[in-house]
Amino acid sequence: MRTTEQAALCITYTFNCTDEIYCKETDRNSFLHYQSFLPPSLKRSLPYSQLLRVRRICDNDVAFERQAGELCQRFRDRGYTDTLVGYYLLQVRNIQRVDLLTHWTRQNDFSNNPVTLVSTYGHISNNLKSIVHRHWHILRSDPSIGNVFQEPPRSCYKRAPSLRDKLVRSHFPVPIQSSFPFNITQGNFKCLNCAACNFMITEKMFTHPKTGSKYKVKGRIACLSTFVVYLLTCPCGLLYVGKTKRQLKTRIFEHKCAIRRNDEKSSVARHFQSAGHDANMLKFMGLEMVSRSPRGGDRENRLLQREAWYIFNLNTCIPNGMNEWEELSLSCFL
Ligand SMILES: [Zn+2]
Ligand SMILES: [Zn+2]
């Protein structure tokens, strides 16, 4: 009588398991088109490498023939010729699957050649390669560096810019990541070549003297910057927010001239006159530089919007500041 263990050992299971390539229903024919602007050697190698993959996966010839046929049709649909596809199909048919499943070490033909010629792929790539090879003997015969350049270089290509690269622009700028001092992209900076420099507040941040709120300066603002929303401060702590599409220093000089001639039309001049401030006590800093949008739009109107935003949030209208109430116009938002 058999024990339970012996009975279990006598049971044989029959699996009907085959190895084939599975494709999702959403799979699309995304092979590189034969007309793609890529090195011909790369495009020619694709059918061969994909057929090898099918050969390696399919565990019987019937499955291989069926799936290789489907694969070849997909390559034909992408512009590959019958001759090219048929040639590689014939080659792969003659390879045994078991040979593809054994461990294979790539033979690196360039292991002894440290020199690589990297260039962007283009119409002249082949010409460049042949010119370099033709004149390589000059480097090889050089007594000091000749031993490094014994073998001609291997050619490697970077992808050439596509139509997408040339036509599509991101709305978001890539942040500049460079070393000091060029990584300072925000704040106020003197041009060191004008009289307005002496009155500039070179800060990256503005702190409201009454509320303590902090406002980060947006943009790299200098005396020569244009399309800037700026801030004027007087010795008693009142603020004035203005905007200019001309150079910032030009607008600052206009304010100082208005103070010196006691211009009644200027709210800043009126305050300086009534408080007994001197024009040299006027300090300024840029708050934001309105850059040109890559998608267009009215830059001047955005400048007006930003000015109104700062006037409202910094509360700079008379009597809390030096701005006229008329300057807080909301029509730019309509
Ligand atoms: Zn300056
Ligand atoms: Zn004052």
Side-chain angles (χ1 to χ4, degrees):
M1 188 174 176
R2 292 177 175 173
T3 63
T4 311
E5 289 78 13
Q6 286 171 327
L9 288 171
C10 288
I11 298 171
T12 55
Y13 294 96
T14 304
F15 291 102
N16 186 19
C17 181
T18 57
D19 292 334
E20 291 187 23
I21 294 176
Y22 170 73
C23 292
K24 292 180 182 175
E25 289 182 5
T26 53
D27 189 38
R28 292 290 178 269
N29 189 0
S30 56
F31 289 127
L32 278 176
H33 198 281
Y34 198 67
Q35 299 301 322
S36 304
F37 188 62
L38 290 164
S41 58
L42 171 68
K43 290 185 284 188
R44 282 198 301 268
S45 68
L46 278 179
Y48 183 65
S49 59
Q50 291 299 309
L51 283 167
L52 278 180
R53 182 167 161 263
V54 174
R55 189 58 162 159
R56 195 162 45 240
I57 293 173
C58 295
D59 63 349
N60 63 75
D61 287 346
V62 177
F64 167 73
E65 289 297 335
R66 188 180 69 254
Q67 301 216 334
E70 290 174 7
L71 184 69
C72 290
Q73 186 54 46
R74 292 176 70 184
F75 274 111
R76 288 189 200 99
D77 292 344
R78 298 294 289 169
Y80 293 73
T81 60
D82 283 342
T83 313
L84 183 72
V85 175
Y87 172 73
Y88 287 123
L89 179 60
L90 198 62
Q91 279 200 341
V92 175
R93 267 197 196 120
N94 293 327
I95 299 174
Q96 295 300 312
R97 182 185 184 229
V98 66
D99 295 334
L100 296 173
L101 295 176
T102 54
H103 183 69
W104 176 68
T105 307
R106 178 184 288 273
Q107 297 295 317
N108 190 353
D109 298 335
F110 302 104
S111 55
N112 297 322
N113 185 5
V115 184
T116 303
L117 176 65
V118 182
S119 61
T120 302
Y121 186 70
H123 292 291
I124 62 166
S125 290
N126 278 339
N127 296 343
L128 176 69
K129 185 178 175 182
S130 63
I131 290 169
V132 169
H133 279 241
R134 196 185 314 143
H135 299 290
W136 194 253
H137 64 92
I138 299 171
L139 282 174
R140 191 187 295 141
S141 59
D142 188 276
S144 56
I145 57 173
N147 57 335
V148 180
F149 298 107
Q150 281 302 305
E151 296 296 323
R154 57 174 171 170
S155 298
C156 292
Y157 300 112
K158 292 187 286 186
R159 184 175 67 85
S162 63
L163 280 176
R164 180 175 178 274
D165 295 333
K166 293 188 175 182
L167 296 176
V168 180
R169 292 279 183 277
S170 171
H171 186 67
F172 303 101
V174 179
I176 301 169
Q177 293 183 346
S178 53
S179 57
F180 182 83
F182 305 105
N183 59 349
I184 304 170
T185 55
Q186 310 281 322
N188 285 273
F189 300 89
K190 296 178 179 182
C191 73
L192 302 176
N193 196 32
C194 78
C197 287
N198 298 327
F199 308 104
M200 180 181 246
I201 304 167
T202 51
E203 297 288 345
K204 296 179 187 174
M205 190 83 76
F206 166 70
T207 306
H208 197 287
K210 291 178 182 169
T211 64
S213 305
K214 292 183 182 299
Y215 298 87
K216 198 173 176 183
V217 174
K218 295 178 180 176
R220 185 185 173 88
I221 301 172
C223 317
L224 305 177
S225 299
T226 56
F227 283 88
V228 173
V229 179
Y230 59 88
L231 181 79
L232 302 180
T233 64
C234 82
C236 57
L238 292 190
L239 306 175
Y240 175 89
V241 172
K243 58 104 180 79
T244 181
K245 58 182 181 178
R246 298 171 292 160
Q247 289 186 344
L248 179 56
K249 68 173 186 179
T250 307
R251 187 70 189 105
I252 299 302
F253 288 144
E254 286 178 352
H255 280 295
K256 286 187 176 292
C257 287
I259 294 167
R260 288 193 181 105
R261 66 171 189 270
N262 296 327
D263 188 349
E264 277 298 311
K265 293 179 185 172
S266 164
S267 58
V268 178
R270 285 202 305 275
H271 170 73
F272 270 63
Q273 169 70 17
S274 61
H277 302 325
D278 186 79
N280 289 333
M281 296 173 176
L282 182 79
K283 303 285 182 189
F284 76 97
M285 68 181 290
L287 292 173
E288 180 172 340
M289 185 157 64
V290 176
S291 55
R292 184 176 284 109
S293 169
R295 296 187 180 179
D298 191 340
R299 193 180 181 189
E300 270 188 60
N301 196 55
R302 283 197 299 118
L303 187 66
L304 282 167
Q305 289 176 352
R306 296 309 296 157
E307 182 198 26
W309 188 90
Y310 281 107
I311 290 175
F312 179 77
N313 284 281
L314 299 182
N315 192 19
T316 59
C317 284
I318 295 172
N320 301 310
M322 293 183 279
N323 280 99
E324 305 274 14
W325 278 96
E326 294 77 43
E327 288 171 316
L328 183 56
S329 169
L330 300 179
S331 59
C332 54
F333 293 98
L334 301 177

